[in-house]
Amino acid sequence: MNDNPNAPLSVSVIMPCLNERANISLALDSLLASDCDPRQFELIVVDGGSTDGTCNILAEYTARHANVRVLNNPGCSKSKALNVALQATDASVVLRAD
């Protein structure tokens, strides 16, 4: 990664989700444990309307991690979630985590 803290965001990891209460913390923790500079790495979770408490967990992560963003996916499909995330980022590299 670039050592310049003023460099533009370089990596976005996008993760669609729906009702993942049982798994979302483990998935987020594993991605956030990377050695990437959090100023140049963002994690975009696109939720399709979870009703199982996933949104509460996601709110905790966004409160603790400035590089975690949660977007809504009113279309509820994985392909629509990916499009929502792609429209929301300007990173030079985009990775999927799903």
Side-chain angles (χ1 to χ4, degrees), residues 16-25 28 45-61 70:
C17 78
L18 177 63
N19 293 329
E20 291 292 340
R21 181 187 65 200
N23 302 307
I24 195 72
S25 292
L28 294 174
V45 182
V46 187
D47 183 72
S50 294
T51 58
D52 68 344
T54 298
C55 294
N56 295 332
I57 296 168
L58 292 173
E60 292 173 11
Y61 276 85
V70 177

Side-chain angles (χ1 to χ4, degrees), residues 1 11 31-41 67:
M1 300 283 321
V11 177
L31 292 167
L32 291 167
S34 75
D35 60 356
C36 293
D37 182 337
R39 295 169 294 188
Q40 296 177 347
F41 158 75
N67 62 331

